[in-house]
Short mmCIF file of all heavy atoms in Angstrom, two decimals:
data_model
loop_
_atom_site.label_atom_id
_atom_site.label_comp_id
_atom_site.label_asym_id
_atom_site.label_seq_id
_atom_site.Cartn_x
_atom_site.Cartn_y
_atom_site.Cartn_z
N GLY A 236 -9.06 4.46 14.04
CA GLY A 236 -10.12 5.29 14.62
C GLY A 236 -10.09 5.41 16.13
O GLY A 236 -10.98 5.00 16.80
N ARG A 237 -9.02 6.04 16.60
CA ARG A 237 -8.93 6.23 18.04
C ARG A 237 -9.80 7.40 18.42
O ARG A 237 -9.71 8.48 17.89
CB ARG A 237 -7.45 6.53 18.35
CG ARG A 237 -7.13 6.74 19.79
CD ARG A 237 -5.66 7.14 19.83
NE ARG A 237 -5.35 7.69 21.13
CZ ARG A 237 -4.48 7.12 22.00
NH1 ARG A 237 -3.86 6.03 21.65
NH2 ARG A 237 -4.29 7.69 23.13
N SER A 238 -10.76 7.20 19.40
CA SER A 238 -11.41 8.39 19.92
C SER A 238 -11.37 8.41 21.44
O SER A 238 -11.59 7.43 22.10
CB SER A 238 -12.82 8.62 19.36
OG SER A 238 -13.66 7.65 19.36
N ALA A 239 -11.03 9.61 21.91
CA ALA A 239 -10.90 9.82 23.32
C ALA A 239 -12.22 10.25 23.89
O ALA A 239 -12.92 11.04 23.29
CB ALA A 239 -9.83 10.88 23.59
N VAL A 260 -21.93 3.26 28.87
CA VAL A 260 -21.90 3.80 27.53
C VAL A 260 -20.50 4.41 27.27
O VAL A 260 -19.80 4.79 28.18
CB VAL A 260 -22.93 4.91 27.27
CG1 VAL A 260 -24.33 4.40 27.49
CG2 VAL A 260 -22.69 6.14 28.15
N PHE A 261 -20.19 4.48 25.97
CA PHE A 261 -18.99 5.22 25.58
C PHE A 261 -19.44 6.53 24.97
O PHE A 261 -20.30 6.54 24.08
CB PHE A 261 -18.13 4.44 24.55
CG PHE A 261 -17.06 5.30 23.97
CD1 PHE A 261 -15.97 5.71 24.73
CD2 PHE A 261 -17.14 5.75 22.66
CE1 PHE A 261 -14.97 6.51 24.22
CE2 PHE A 261 -16.15 6.60 22.11
CZ PHE A 261 -15.06 6.95 22.91
N THR A 262 -18.93 7.64 25.46
CA THR A 262 -19.26 8.94 24.88
C THR A 262 -18.02 9.78 24.70
O THR A 262 -17.09 9.75 25.50
CB THR A 262 -20.27 9.70 25.77
OG1 THR A 262 -20.53 10.96 25.19
CG2 THR A 262 -19.76 9.91 27.19
N THR A 263 -18.03 10.56 23.61
CA THR A 263 -16.96 11.50 23.38
C THR A 263 -17.34 12.84 23.97
O THR A 263 -16.55 13.80 23.97
CB THR A 263 -16.69 11.69 21.89
OG1 THR A 263 -17.93 11.86 21.22
CG2 THR A 263 -15.98 10.45 21.31
N ARG A 264 -18.58 12.96 24.49
CA ARG A 264 -19.06 14.22 24.99
C ARG A 264 -19.64 14.12 26.40
O ARG A 264 -20.84 14.35 26.63
CB ARG A 264 -20.16 14.76 24.07
CG ARG A 264 -19.68 15.12 22.64
CD ARG A 264 -18.81 16.38 22.58
NE ARG A 264 -19.44 17.51 23.19
CZ ARG A 264 -20.26 18.37 22.56
NH1 ARG A 264 -20.53 18.20 21.29
NH2 ARG A 264 -20.78 19.41 23.19
N PRO A 265 -18.80 13.81 27.40
CA PRO A 265 -19.33 13.73 28.77
C PRO A 265 -19.89 15.04 29.26
O PRO A 265 -20.71 15.08 30.16
CB PRO A 265 -18.11 13.28 29.60
CG PRO A 265 -16.92 13.53 28.77
CD PRO A 265 -17.35 13.47 27.34
N THR A 267 -22.07 16.69 27.87
CA THR A 267 -23.50 16.79 27.51
C THR A 267 -24.39 15.88 28.32
O THR A 267 -25.55 15.65 27.95
CB THR A 267 -23.73 16.48 25.99
OG1 THR A 267 -23.35 15.12 25.76
CG2 THR A 267 -22.89 17.38 25.11
N ALA A 277 -28.15 -1.27 21.09
CA ALA A 277 -28.15 -1.85 19.74
C ALA A 277 -29.22 -2.93 19.71
O ALA A 277 -29.19 -3.84 20.55
CB ALA A 277 -26.76 -2.39 19.42
N TYR A 342 -29.62 2.01 14.71
CA TYR A 342 -28.58 2.99 14.37
C TYR A 342 -27.42 2.91 15.39
O TYR A 342 -26.34 3.47 15.13
CB TYR A 342 -29.11 4.40 14.20
CG TYR A 342 -29.38 5.19 15.47
CD1 TYR A 342 -28.43 6.11 15.95
CD2 TYR A 342 -30.58 5.06 16.15
CE1 TYR A 342 -28.68 6.87 17.09
CE2 TYR A 342 -30.85 5.83 17.30
CZ TYR A 342 -29.89 6.73 17.76
OH TYR A 342 -30.12 7.48 18.86
N VAL A 343 -27.64 2.22 16.47
CA VAL A 343 -26.56 1.98 17.43
C VAL A 343 -25.94 0.63 17.04
O VAL A 343 -26.68 -0.35 16.90
CB VAL A 343 -27.02 2.04 18.84
CG1 VAL A 343 -25.93 1.57 19.81
CG2 VAL A 343 -27.42 3.46 19.22
N LEU A 344 -24.60 0.61 16.90
CA LEU A 344 -23.96 -0.61 16.44
C LEU A 344 -23.58 -1.50 17.63
O LEU A 344 -23.07 -1.01 18.61
CB LEU A 344 -22.68 -0.24 15.67
CG LEU A 344 -22.91 0.77 14.54
CD1 LEU A 344 -21.55 1.24 14.01
CD2 LEU A 344 -23.77 0.16 13.44
N ALA A 345 -23.86 -2.77 17.48
CA ALA A 345 -23.59 -3.71 18.59
C ALA A 345 -22.11 -3.82 18.88
O ALA A 345 -21.70 -4.07 20.02
CB ALA A 345 -24.18 -5.05 18.25
N ASP A 346 -21.28 -3.66 17.84
CA ASP A 346 -19.86 -3.93 18.06
C ASP A 346 -18.96 -2.67 18.06
O ASP A 346 -17.78 -2.72 17.79
CB ASP A 346 -19.34 -4.91 17.03
CG ASP A 346 -19.45 -4.39 15.61
OD1 ASP A 346 -20.04 -3.28 15.44
OD2 ASP A 346 -19.01 -5.07 14.68
N TYR A 347 -19.56 -1.53 18.41
CA TYR A 347 -18.74 -0.34 18.60
C TYR A 347 -18.94 0.15 20.00
O TYR A 347 -20.07 0.08 20.52
CB TYR A 347 -19.10 0.76 17.59
CG TYR A 347 -18.14 1.94 17.68
CD1 TYR A 347 -16.82 1.80 17.35
CD2 TYR A 347 -18.60 3.17 18.17
CE1 TYR A 347 -15.93 2.86 17.47
CE2 TYR A 347 -17.73 4.23 18.28
CZ TYR A 347 -16.40 4.09 17.94
OH TYR A 347 -15.52 5.16 18.08
N GLY A 348 -17.90 0.64 20.63
CA GLY A 348 -18.00 1.17 22.01
C GLY A 348 -18.53 0.04 22.90
O GLY A 348 -17.99 -1.05 22.92
N THR A 349 -19.62 0.31 23.59
CA THR A 349 -20.18 -0.72 24.47
C THR A 349 -21.50 -1.27 23.91
O THR A 349 -22.16 -2.05 24.55
CB THR A 349 -20.46 -0.14 25.86
OG1 THR A 349 -21.44 0.94 25.68
CG2 THR A 349 -19.22 0.46 26.50
N GLY A 350 -21.86 -0.79 22.71
CA GLY A 350 -23.11 -1.26 22.09
C GLY A 350 -24.37 -0.59 22.63
O GLY A 350 -25.47 -0.99 22.30
N SER A 351 -24.16 0.46 23.47
CA SER A 351 -25.34 1.25 23.88
C SER A 351 -24.86 2.68 24.11
O SER A 351 -23.70 2.93 24.35
CB SER A 351 -25.99 0.62 25.13
OG SER A 351 -25.16 0.76 26.24
N ILE A 352 -25.83 3.59 24.03
CA ILE A 352 -25.44 5.01 24.14
C ILE A 352 -26.39 5.80 25.00
O ILE A 352 -27.55 5.40 25.21
CB ILE A 352 -25.40 5.71 22.76
CG1 ILE A 352 -26.81 5.74 22.11
CG2 ILE A 352 -24.45 5.04 21.81
CD1 ILE A 352 -27.01 6.81 21.05
N MET A 353 -25.91 6.93 25.54
CA MET A 353 -26.82 7.93 26.10
C MET A 353 -27.13 8.84 24.92
O MET A 353 -26.21 9.28 24.20
CB MET A 353 -26.15 8.69 27.25
CG MET A 353 -24.92 9.49 26.86
SD MET A 353 -24.32 10.42 28.29
CE MET A 353 -23.43 11.76 27.53
N ALA A 354 -28.40 9.11 24.65
CA ALA A 354 -28.76 9.89 23.50
C ALA A 354 -28.95 11.35 23.89
O ALA A 354 -29.67 11.66 24.83
CB ALA A 354 -30.04 9.36 22.87
N VAL A 355 -28.21 12.22 23.18
CA VAL A 355 -28.25 13.64 23.46
C VAL A 355 -28.74 14.35 22.17
O VAL A 355 -27.95 14.79 21.37
CB VAL A 355 -26.86 14.17 23.88
CG1 VAL A 355 -26.96 15.68 24.24
CG2 VAL A 355 -26.29 13.38 25.02
N ALA A 357 -30.06 17.11 21.31
CA ALA A 357 -29.73 18.51 20.96
C ALA A 357 -28.36 18.65 20.27
O ALA A 357 -28.18 19.55 19.46
CB ALA A 357 -29.78 19.41 22.22
N HIS A 358 -27.47 17.68 20.56
CA HIS A 358 -26.11 17.86 20.10
C HIS A 358 -25.57 16.70 19.29
O HIS A 358 -24.36 16.63 19.03
CB HIS A 358 -25.20 18.20 21.29
CG HIS A 358 -25.70 19.39 22.09
ND1 HIS A 358 -25.81 20.63 21.55
CD2 HIS A 358 -26.21 19.46 23.36
CE1 HIS A 358 -26.34 21.45 22.46
NE2 HIS A 358 -26.58 20.77 23.57
N ASP A 359 -26.40 15.78 18.94
CA ASP A 359 -25.97 14.67 18.07
C ASP A 359 -27.09 14.44 17.06
O ASP A 359 -28.23 14.18 17.40
CB ASP A 359 -25.76 13.40 18.93
CG ASP A 359 -25.23 12.27 18.08
OD1 ASP A 359 -25.93 11.82 17.12
OD2 ASP A 359 -24.11 11.75 18.38
N ARG A 361 -27.81 12.08 14.86
CA ARG A 361 -28.54 10.80 14.79
C ARG A 361 -29.59 10.69 15.88
O ARG A 361 -30.70 10.24 15.70
CB ARG A 361 -27.53 9.63 14.87
CG ARG A 361 -26.54 9.63 13.72
CD ARG A 361 -25.26 8.83 14.10
NE ARG A 361 -24.58 9.47 15.25
CZ ARG A 361 -23.46 8.96 15.80
NH1 ARG A 361 -22.93 7.86 15.33
NH2 ARG A 361 -22.90 9.59 16.80
N ASP A 362 -29.14 11.16 17.09
CA ASP A 362 -30.07 11.14 18.22
C ASP A 362 -31.24 12.09 17.99
O ASP A 362 -32.39 11.81 18.33
CB ASP A 362 -29.35 11.54 19.50
CG ASP A 362 -28.25 10.59 19.90
OD1 ASP A 362 -28.24 9.43 19.37
OD2 ASP A 362 -27.39 10.93 20.73
N THR A 391 -26.74 20.93 17.28
CA THR A 391 -25.62 21.91 17.32
C THR A 391 -24.40 21.22 17.99
O THR A 391 -24.50 20.61 19.04
CB THR A 391 -26.01 23.16 18.12
OG1 THR A 391 -26.28 22.80 19.48
CG2 THR A 391 -27.25 23.84 17.52
N THR A 392 -23.30 21.35 17.30
CA THR A 392 -22.10 20.61 17.77
C THR A 392 -20.96 21.59 18.14
O THR A 392 -19.93 21.16 18.50
CB THR A 392 -21.60 19.63 16.69
OG1 THR A 392 -21.39 20.42 15.51
CG2 THR A 392 -22.62 18.56 16.41
N ASN A 430 -11.39 4.78 22.87
CA ASN A 430 -12.10 3.76 22.13
C ASN A 430 -11.57 3.68 20.69
O ASN A 430 -11.10 4.64 20.17
CB ASN A 430 -13.59 4.10 22.10
CG ASN A 430 -14.45 2.98 21.65
OD1 ASN A 430 -14.41 1.89 22.22
ND2 ASN A 430 -15.23 3.18 20.64
N ARG A 432 -12.09 2.30 16.61
CA ARG A 432 -13.00 1.83 15.59
C ARG A 432 -12.55 0.44 15.08
O ARG A 432 -13.36 -0.35 14.65
CB ARG A 432 -12.98 2.84 14.46
CG ARG A 432 -14.06 2.69 13.41
CD ARG A 432 -14.29 3.99 12.65
NE ARG A 432 -14.76 5.03 13.55
CZ ARG A 432 -16.04 5.13 13.95
NH1 ARG A 432 -16.93 4.30 13.55
NH2 ARG A 432 -16.40 6.11 14.77
C1 ANZ B 901 -23.21 11.32 23.75
C2 ANZ B 901 -22.99 12.33 22.73
C3 ANZ B 901 -23.35 13.63 22.71
C4 ANZ B 901 -22.23 11.83 21.68
C5 ANZ B 901 -23.01 14.44 21.63
C6 ANZ B 901 -21.86 12.57 20.56
C7 ANZ B 901 -22.25 13.88 20.57
P1 ANZ B 901 -16.84 8.42 17.68
O1 ANZ B 901 -16.27 9.81 17.63
O2 ANZ B 901 -17.10 7.86 16.32
O3 ANZ B 901 -16.11 7.49 18.57
N1 ANZ B 901 -21.77 6.16 19.93
C8 ANZ B 901 -21.09 5.47 20.90
N2 ANZ B 901 -21.20 4.14 20.71
C9 ANZ B 901 -21.98 4.00 19.61
C10 ANZ B 901 -22.48 2.88 18.92
N3 ANZ B 901 -22.19 1.62 19.30
N4 ANZ B 901 -23.22 3.07 17.82
C11 ANZ B 901 -23.52 4.33 17.39
N5 ANZ B 901 -23.10 5.42 18.06
C12 ANZ B 901 -22.32 5.28 19.12
O4 ANZ B 901 -18.34 8.58 18.25
C13 ANZ B 901 -18.59 8.41 19.61
C14 ANZ B 901 -20.01 8.90 19.82
O5 ANZ B 901 -20.89 8.09 19.02
C15 ANZ B 901 -20.43 8.73 21.23
O6 ANZ B 901 -20.53 10.00 21.87
C16 ANZ B 901 -21.86 8.26 21.12
O7 ANZ B 901 -22.63 9.47 21.12
C17 ANZ B 901 -21.92 7.60 19.82
F1 ANZ B 901 -23.37 15.70 21.66
O8 ANZ B 901 -22.38 10.20 23.32
B1 ANZ B 901 -21.90 10.38 21.95
#
Side-chain angles (χ1 to χ4, degrees):
R237 181 185 165 116
S238 49
V260 299
F261 170 70
T262 177
T263 47
R264 296 290 305 273
T267 64
Y342 80 97
V343 171
L344 308 171
D346 62 355
Y347 185 67
T349 62
S351 67
I352 64 159
M353 63 176 204
V355 183
H358 306 297
D359 184 299
R361 298 157 299 179
D362 297 344
T391 63
T392 55
N430 194 56
R432 192 158 296 281

